[in-house]
Every structure is written in structure tokens, then in C-alpha cells.
């Protein structure tokens, strides 16, 4: 049970994030839904509370647009001002294979939201997490990280853009971020781990092109073979509350088990370089 614990879940109004928030609320946690759209968040909050049952914890909605560094800073200022503790931060929100667009700050959207927005969010909340230790940071990545690399010469995809590659790169960045952050959190009582949820039936793939004639078959197959959002959320919930992972950090999990990563997701040199560049991009560099 999570009574007395405060948890932030980004992108908690749909998909895995919503299922994660529901389960954590059911376990009596104080769940902060960090969402971009208030109307959608309020509608989701009603459904979450209903599903979580009468003995649930407290649910709070806060506005957070990860495509805006200004919004991330405002969100964190509000959290630090209002919350006396933060036990778990779940970096769940993501955008998948969208057409080429840029964030408010001029960064390629998938890299900007999936990596940079969460990078700034986590760094700004670190002091609160340290004061609340033992506390946990959870980063939702994807097995699709395998199909990319970090091209430091074109992080913003201005020379070329492939939406699938850009998504995979942002998910590889999540894993490298987790690796470097785990080193920086030594002796703090704060742990950070990543997870790959597998293929889940959510609206994350709304930008993916599926021919009209194939859609009925695709929908049928997705119900047969894809995970439900609840199944997709199981590892997030496990990493948020299981005593089995107390003190474990810098790992990646799938289906509540440690997952072996490819070497490129464990490259210490690339992880450090990405961290240093990301600090400059979000305005954290000295």
C-alpha cells in the first residue's frame, strides 16, 4: 500500500499512464496527474477514481506540457512550493512517430517531449526527491530503442527526419539518461530505473499510418496479441512500489523482470555526452 506516498505520473490521462495512476490510487497513494490538457485530464480523473474504488488515495491534476520548457519549469515550481515530499516520479508521457514538428523551444518534437522535457522535469525535482528518500524515479522507454543511435551531429533532425528512427532515438536517450542519472544519484537514497512495457493497445500510435482496408484486421489483431493498458502498466507499478527493487538502480525491466540491454544502451561515454548536451539544451548548464 502507498498510504502517505506522493507519486507524479506524466501523461496520466490515457493509456499506460492512466492505468498506472489507477492502480497507484487503488493502493491509496497520493497521485499527481501531470497532463497537458485539463479537460481530458478531468474526464480521465473521474474514470480513474471510479475504477480505483472507494478506499482510494487522493488524486490531483496539474498542468504540464513537456513540449514547453517554460511549462516544465512552472510545473516544478508549483510542486516544490506545494508538496512537502515526492516519493515516486514516473516519466511516462510520450509522443510516437509524429510528423516533423518542433517544440515551443525549437527542438524536434519526439526528442523534445520524450527526452528533453523529462530530463528537465527530473532535474528540477531532484532536490525534493532527495529530501523524500528513499524515493524512486521510473523512466518508460521502449524496445524500439534498438533501431536507432544517438547522432550528435543532428540531434534536432534538421538534416534528415525519419519519424520511426526519431522515436527510437528518443527511447534510447531515455535509457542513456537512466544510466547516467543512476551514477549521479549514488549515496542519495534515490533510485532510477527504466522499463519497456511491450506492445500495448493505446492511442500512442495515432500518427502511425495504417491503410484503411487493413484497419479492421489490425484492430482485431491488436485485441488478440497486444497488451491491455493494465498489463502494460504492471512493470511501472512494480517499480513504483515493490520491495524487491529497493536500492536497485540503473537497470531496465520488462514484465517485472530485469531486461538485458544492447551495448549501445549501456555506453557510459555516450550517456555522459548526451547528459552534458541535454543540460545545455534545457538551460541547466552552468
Amino acid at each position: 500500500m502507498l498510504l502517505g506516498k506522493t507519486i507524479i505520473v506524466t501523461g496520466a490521462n490515457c493509456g499506460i499512464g492512466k492505468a498506472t495512476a489507477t492502480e497507484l490510487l487503488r493502493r491509496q497513494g497520493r497521485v499527481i496527474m501531470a497532463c497537458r490538457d485539463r479537460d481530458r485530464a478531468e474526464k480521465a480523473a473521474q474514470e480513474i477514481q471510479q475504477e480505483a474504488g472507494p478506499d482510494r488515495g487522493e488524486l490531483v491534476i496539474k498542468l504540464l506540457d513537456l513540449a514547453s520548457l517554460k511549462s516544465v519549469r512552472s510545473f516544478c515550481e508549483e510542486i516544490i512550493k506545494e508538496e512537502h515530499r515526492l516519493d515516486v516520479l514516473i516519466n511516462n508521457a510520450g509522443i510516437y512517430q509524429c510528423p516533423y514538428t518542433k517544440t515551443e523551444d525549437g527542438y524536434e518534437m519526439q526528442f523534445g517531449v520524450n527526452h528533453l522535457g523529462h530530463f528537465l522535469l527530473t532535474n528540477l525535482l531532484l532536490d525534493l526527491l532527495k529530501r523524500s528518500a528513499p524515493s524512486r524515479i521510473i523512466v518508460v522507454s521502449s524496445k524500439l530503442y534498438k533501431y536507432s543511435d544517438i547522432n550528435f551531429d543532428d540531434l534536432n533532425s534538421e538534416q534528415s527526419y525519419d519519424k520511426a528512427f526519431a522515436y527510437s532515438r528518443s527511447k534510447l536517450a531515455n535509457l542513456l539518461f537512466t544510466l547516467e542519472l543512476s551514477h549521479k544519484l549514488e549515496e542519495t537514497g534515490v533510485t532510477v530505473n527504466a522499463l519497456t512495457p511491450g506492445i500495448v493497445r493505446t492511442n500512442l500510435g495515432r500518427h502511425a499510418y495504417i491503410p484503411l482496408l487493413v484497419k479492421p484486421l489490425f484492430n482485431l489483431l491488436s485485441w488478440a496479441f497486444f497488451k491491455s493498458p493494465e498489463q502494460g502498466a504492471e512493470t511501472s507499478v512494480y517499480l513504483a512500489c515493490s520491495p524487491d527493487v529497493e536500492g536497485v538502480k540503473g537497470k531496465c525491466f520488462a514484465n517485472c523482470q530485469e531486461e538485458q540491454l544492447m551495448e549501445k544502451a549501456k555506453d557510459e561515454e555516450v550517456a555522459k555526452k548526451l547528459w552534458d548536451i541535454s543540460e545545455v539544451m534545457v538551460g541547466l548548464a552552468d
Side-chain angles (χ1 to χ4, degrees):
M1 301 302 282
L2 293 167
L3 191 62
K5 304 279 190 185
T6 297
I7 307 112
I8 291 174
V9 183
T10 67
N13 62 291
C14 61
I16 296 171
K18 184 181 176 187
T20 302
T22 303
E23 185 55 35
L24 297 175
L25 192 68
R26 185 180 286 123
R27 297 182 187 218
Q28 300 186 338
R30 183 168 190 271
V31 180
I32 298 173
M33 299 173 63
C35 302
R36 183 168 53 91
D37 185 288
R38 182 172 290 280
D39 289 342
R40 291 212 300 265
E42 287 176 351
K43 182 176 182 293
Q46 291 178 347
E47 295 166 355
I48 289 168
Q49 287 170 321
Q50 192 172 359
E51 286 180 49
D55 297 324
R56 61 181 181 260
E58 182 186 358
L59 194 62
V60 178
I61 295 171
K62 295 284 184 188
L63 291 182
L64 170 66
D65 183 356
L66 288 158
S68 162
L69 298 178
K70 181 182 176 183
S71 173
V72 174
R73 289 181 181 277
S74 296
F75 172 86
C76 292
E77 284 171 11
E78 203 171 328
I79 292 294
I80 291 163
K81 182 180 175 183
E82 295 179 5
E83 303 297 329
H84 70 279
R85 65 179 301 111
L86 176 58
D87 299 276
V88 185
L89 170 63
I90 304 180
N91 291 335
N92 164 84
I95 189 165
Y96 175 77
Q97 293 195 14
C98 61
Y100 188 77
T101 47
K102 289 185 177 181
T103 67
E104 181 179 289
D105 305 278
Y107 299 123
E108 186 275 312
M109 186 63 71
Q110 295 185 84
F111 188 74
V113 169
N114 299 353
H115 171 60
L116 291 176
H118 281 121
F119 178 89
L120 179 61
L121 176 77
T122 305
N123 274 283
L124 294 179
L125 294 176
L126 272 185
D127 284 345
L128 182 57
L129 284 156
K130 288 174 184 177
R131 291 199 301 272
S132 310
S135 52
R136 303 179 182 189
I137 300 165
I138 297 155
V139 180
V140 180
S141 182
S142 165
K143 291 186 192 298
L144 293 175
Y145 82 87
K146 298 173 182 178
Y147 304 106
S148 68
D149 53 46
I150 304 294
N151 178 4
F152 288 108
D153 295 325
D154 192 25
L155 277 181
N156 217 30
S157 299
E158 289 175 332
Q159 295 171 26
S160 65
Y161 180 69
D162 178 285
K163 62 184 183 180
F165 176 87
Y167 177 76
S168 298
R169 181 182 59 184
S170 73
K171 295 289 106 179
L172 176 58
N174 290 157
L175 296 173
L176 293 167
F177 165 66
T178 301
L179 176 64
E180 182 63 16
L181 182 58
S182 70
H183 298 322
K184 294 182 181 296
L185 292 175
E186 291 284 353
E187 310 299 326
T188 63
V190 185
T191 62
V192 58
N193 291 290
L195 69 104
T196 59
I199 305 174
V200 183
R201 289 192 306 273
T202 71
N203 68 350
L204 189 67
R206 62 189 177 277
H207 294 296
Y209 173 70
I210 300 165
L212 200 59
L213 290 173
V214 180
K215 271 194 175 178
L217 178 60
F218 176 82
N219 291 336
L220 187 66
L221 289 172
S222 73
W223 278 100
F225 297 109
F226 292 7
K227 290 182 178 180
S228 68
E230 290 72 26
Q231 290 169 325
E234 283 174 359
T235 306
S236 295
V237 173
Y238 171 76
L239 290 175
C241 25
S242 174
D244 296 347
V245 288
E246 193 170 328
V248 175
K249 61 183 181 296
K251 305 295 184 184
C252 186
F253 288 76
N255 299 317
C256 302
Q257 301 285 331
E258 188 180 335
E259 179 180 14
Q260 294 305 311
L261 295 173
M262 293 175 70
E263 288 304 312
K264 63 182 171 183
K266 299 185 286 185
D267 191 316
E268 305 270 359
E269 191 177 328
V270 173
K272 186 174 188 322
K273 185 175 180 180
L274 178 63
W275 183 284
D276 292 344
I277 289 172
S278 299
E279 278 190 328
V280 173
M281 293 174 89
V282 302
L284 285 178
D286 294 333

